[in-house]
Amino acid sequence: MSIKAILVPIEGIEHDIHALRGALRLAQSNNAHVTALLAQPTEEDFAVTWARYSMISPPVGLLAEIGQDARSREHAAAQLLERAAREFGAPVVPADQVEAPPFSASLLVERGYLTRAVAAISPFHDVVVLGNDPDGVDILPLDGSLLEATLLMGRRPALLVPKLAHDMVPSQVVIAWSGSIEGAQAVKSALPFLSQADNVYVLRIGEADCPESHDRMLMIYLRLHGIPAELRIVEHSQHSTGTSLLSAATDLQADLLVMGGYTHGPFRQSMLGGVTRHVLKHAPVPVLMAH
């Protein structure tokens, strides 16, 4: 299993540069191709929004402004991709070029909303890179619905990359383990990273919600893939599970955290109400998440 096709949703704004750099770092270490995905909503998309507000037609001049904004964002997205690719020495090729160089990048412009485009395009990629700013405020990577579109609709793992991440070849990996199916799927998705790591820790906070045999089966699974791992069990403290998880990961000097997403059902309020929400807000290292 290897990483050869990487998708990074962008919006044509300066902040995109951090996700683009993270995707290109990952591509460079795996000789992979990066597709930067920009979506431009159509007039029909906007008409649905206007109808919600009982507007028969848009205000005068609004369509012209929307068109100008779309052209500006596409131009900005192309410039940002060229800038990031130049930093890493990756050629930028047309999105429909079949025989693209292994380490390269392209800009794909789709019509419609970004979440819809991510759900449709991500199945043709190995991983989706999302920018993340874990500064303690109540924000999500680009848009919380992008994570949902990636994990639940596209069924692809998401790599959430903080702005200051400088290396996509982790040496110390922590697997947040609760015995869930989603957690096991995250481990499978993380195999390309785990196989390159110096140390892999399976970290369980408190009592597991599954039989202890699941711990053993996970360790066997990893060893069959040539990955020696160490199981660490951390007792529950007065802090939340999310706080305990990140504290233990910091003690282990983790530079990648692997975990399952939407482990309590496909409802955003459930996913954002617990450990995942805390990790998204506070994790200082890249997080690989799968469902």
Side-chain angles (χ1 to χ4, degrees):
M1 183 178 181
S2 60
I3 296 174
K4 293 300 176 185
I6 300 167
L7 184 68
V8 53
I10 61 174
E11 297 179 297
I13 57 177
E14 179 63 27
H15 190 73
D16 292 334
I17 195 68
H18 307 299
L20 287 168
R21 285 172 175 155
L24 283 159
R25 286 189 186 97
L26 180 60
Q28 189 176 49
S29 61
N30 288 273
N31 208 28
H33 179 79
V34 172
T35 299
L37 174 63
L38 177 72
Q40 301 284 28
T42 64
E43 290 185 19
E44 290 77 13
D45 293 324
F46 286 112
V48 171
T49 301
W50 297 326
R52 290 174 183 167
Y53 295 94
S54 301
M55 296 171 61
I56 299 176
S57 60
V60 176
L62 182 58
L63 285 178
E65 290 183 19
I66 290 173
Q68 178 60 40
D69 179 69
R71 288 187 292 273
S72 297
R73 283 180 179 266
E74 186 168 341
H75 178 70
Q79 286 192 318
L80 286 165
L81 179 59
E82 288 279 359
R83 177 175 137 202
R86 191 164 51 246
E87 292 178 14
F88 293 88
V92 176
V93 300
D96 58 356
Q97 182 173 326
V98 176
E99 298 296 331
F103 177 45
S104 57
S106 61
L107 175 64
L108 176 62
V109 181
E110 291 285 297
R111 304 292 286 170
Y113 286 115
L114 187 55
T115 51
R116 195 182 309 154
V118 168
I121 303 300
S122 61
F124 304 99
H125 295 79
D126 298 313
V127 64
V128 179
V129 173
L130 301 174
N132 189 38
D133 282 323
D135 55 4
V137 299
D138 193 12
I139 62 171
L140 294 174
L142 295 179
D143 179 343
S145 59
L146 288 183
L147 187 60
E148 181 179 316
T150 300
L151 300 184
L152 297 183
M153 301 173 70
R155 295 293 179 178
R156 283 299 182 265
L159 180 64
L160 295 98
V161 181
K163 181 164 50 176
L164 299 179
H166 296 296
D167 191 0
M168 291 294 106
V169 184
S171 61
Q172 309 287 329
V173 180
V174 167
I175 298 169
W177 179 243
S178 64
S180 68
I181 295 174
E182 294 81 7
Q185 183 60 44
V187 171
K188 178 184 176 183
S189 299
L191 287 177
F193 299 93
L194 300 175
S195 63
Q196 300 178 70
D198 295 328
N199 296 291
V200 175
Y201 301 97
V202 176
L203 187 63
R204 179 155 59 79
I205 306 296
E207 294 296 324
D209 296 328
C210 63
E212 289 185 7
S213 60
H214 286 200
D215 292 350
R216 185 171 61 257
M217 285 189 287
L218 174 62
M219 305 303 285
I220 293 172
Y221 176 78
L222 290 171
R223 286 192 176 275
L224 287 172
H225 281 277
I227 301 166
E230 180 182 340
L231 176 64
R232 296 283 185 96
I233 300 176
V234 177
E235 298 298 327
H236 262 304
S237 64
Q238 70 272 22
H239 302 295
S240 68
T241 300
T243 299
S244 299
L245 170 62
L246 291 183
S247 177
T250 298
D251 291 342
L252 293 170
Q253 298 181 316
D255 45 19
L256 176 67
L257 179 63
V258 176
M259 63 184 295
Y262 292 86
T263 57
H264 299 292
F267 299 100
R268 187 178 305 159
Q269 62 267 30
S270 173
M271 191 278 289
L272 299 183
V275 178
T276 309
R277 185 182 188 93
H278 184 88
V279 169
L280 291 178
K281 289 172 62 177
H282 299 285
V285 298
V287 179
L288 183 72
M289 195 174 295
H291 178 72

